[in-house]
Amino acid sequence: MKMEKAILAVITMNKQKIDGGAPIFLCDTQEEMEKVAANLEAILDGISHALSDQLYIIVKH
């Protein structure tokens, strides 16, 4: 089974703004968030999108 079009991960500094079934990564700084997003993008073979200053998602198109 091939997965298409899914949110693979959520990266945030504000845990009050998130809930759901995707893995959630909590970070302390903007720099840490960017680093985690870049690493997960490569590991999960997805694309990172910044939805706000405190929220990134990794998606599979």
Side-chain angles (χ1 to χ4, degrees), residues 6-9 11 37 40-41 44 46-48 56-60:
I7 296 175
L8 304 176
I11 304 106
L40 287 174
E41 186 177 37
L44 298 173
I47 299 170
S48 174
Y56 281 76
I57 60 172
I58 308 295
V59 297
K60 183 74 168 181

Side-chain angles (χ1 to χ4, degrees), residues 14-34:
N14 187 347
K15 67 181 181 177
Q16 279 75 27
K17 294 219 174 210
I18 53 161
D19 191 18
I24 299 166
F25 295 82
L26 295 173
C27 299
D28 295 322
T29 66
Q30 180 74 27
E31 182 180 288
E32 181 185 10
M33 247 181 27
E34 292 169 4

Side-chain angles (χ1 to χ4, degrees), residues 10-13 18 33 49-57:
V10 177
I11 304 106
T12 187
M13 292 189 301
I18 53 161
M33 247 181 27
H49 295 280
L51 300 182
S52 73
D53 290 342
Q54 296 183 350
L55 181 65
Y56 281 76
I57 60 172

